[in-house]
Amino acid sequence: MFKKLANAFFSKEKEVERKLSTVADLLVGDIVTFKQRSELPHFLQGVDAEVTALGCYEYHDENEREVTLKTVQGDVFFLSLINDDGECYLSFSKKLSDANVAALFEENLFSDIFEEEVFSKNLCLQTEPEGKLAGWFDDNYNQTVKAIQGFYHPNSGTPSGKGQEFLSHYCEAKNDDYGLQIEIWEDGKTDVFALCCCSEDVIQDLWPASK
């Protein structure tokens, strides 16, 4: 990875065929450099990250292209470009372990997310997130989406084939720049993600992969 990073930086010294102007242009192997901005989660401030995979979430009325990135320190996170009625912003997400969820949220309130006729309310943090979790959370969430069907298409930035089916739940913080995404897959596996939204200008540079 470090060799790829060095080659990507060297490519700025010469003319390259691909020009990257937005995260929508990113392909596997490209490099993203983030600014030292406080609105970013702590471990993303001022770092470089390599695109390791592309995927696409398909819902009834929209598709969302997702980029998987890995920092030189080995931290993995996900990035999507969201267009909300002409206003574009970046949505970052980080997968939480079962231990993270148990430590951060009260069990009964979190379990309400999955109840058919109940929306979880006042889902508050029990502990202050530290280390790699710092900067990913607000202190209170309310569920706004319950059991919406979707399909995930790995290795493609657009819907391709049937996709992997899941049910999506979403909790929004009082500060709507933060959220929780919960995905329940056909095999019963549940994934929980912390979401953080930022303006596009937190990106300092986009570097195309070297040939």
Side-chain angles (χ1 to χ4, degrees):
M1 176 175 176
F2 295 102
K3 182 178 180 180
K4 290 182 180 179
L5 182 60
N7 289 339
F9 282 144
F10 178 72
S11 70
K12 68 179 179 179
E13 302 294 337
K14 59 183 180 180
E15 185 176 356
V16 294
E17 293 182 4
R18 287 181 61 226
K19 301 292 184 181
L20 307 181
S21 59
T22 172
V23 297
D25 300 329
L26 290 171
L27 298 176
V28 173
D30 293 340
I31 303 294
V32 182
T33 299
F34 293 98
K35 295 178 182 177
Q36 189 74 39
R37 289 288 185 84
S38 60
E39 64 193 285
L40 284 166
H42 292 193
F43 81 77
L44 293 182
Q45 296 176 17
V47 306
D48 306 303
E50 180 185 359
V51 177
T52 59
L54 300 177
C56 181
Y57 282 91
E58 179 188 6
Y59 299 98
H60 173 69
D61 57 352
E62 65 178 341
N63 300 320
E64 182 180 310
R65 184 177 189 264
E66 180 184 76
V67 179
T68 304
L69 296 111
K70 187 175 183 180
T71 70
V72 293
Q73 292 78 23
D75 300 305
V76 176
F77 63 101
F78 309 92
L79 175 61
S80 297
L81 177 64
I82 307 298
N83 188 326
D84 184 9
D85 293 330
E87 181 179 355
C88 293
Y89 61 89
L90 302 178
S91 176
F92 296 85
S93 59
K94 177 176 174 58
K95 188 175 180 179
L96 304 179
S97 67
D98 291 344
N100 293 151
V101 174
L104 291 168
F105 300 103
E106 198 278 322
E107 182 179 359
N108 289 335
L109 287 176
F110 194 84
S111 65
D112 283 346
I113 292 171
F114 310 102
E115 295 295 329
E116 289 187 8
E117 298 182 0
V118 177
F119 277 69
S120 184
K121 300 294 183 183
N122 295 318
L123 183 59
C124 300
L125 291 181
Q126 296 188 117
T127 58
E128 184 69 23
E130 298 178 342
K132 300 297 177 64
L133 296 181
W136 282 98
F137 299 91
D138 195 9
D139 58 4
N140 186 289
Y141 297 82
N142 291 311
Q143 188 174 7
T144 56
V145 173
K146 184 173 287 290
I148 298 298
Q149 184 186 48
F151 297 90
Y152 180 69
H153 302 269
N155 306 316
S156 176
T158 58
S160 177
K162 181 179 182 296
Q164 302 168 5
E165 186 175 0
F166 65 93
L167 292 178
S168 175
H169 302 265
Y170 186 74
C171 298
E172 186 174 294
K174 289 183 177 179
N175 177 348
D176 59 11
D177 287 339
Y178 297 90
L180 299 173
Q181 180 78 31
I182 300 94
E183 298 165 358
I184 305 175
W185 301 88
E186 287 184 286
D187 61 2
K189 181 182 177 183
T190 299
D191 292 329
V192 181
F193 298 87
L195 274 66
C196 174
C197 297
C198 299
S199 60
E200 290 185 271
D201 66 3
V202 298
I203 292 178
Q204 179 171 311
D205 285 302
L206 301 170
W207 309 106
S210 58
K211 295 183 180 180

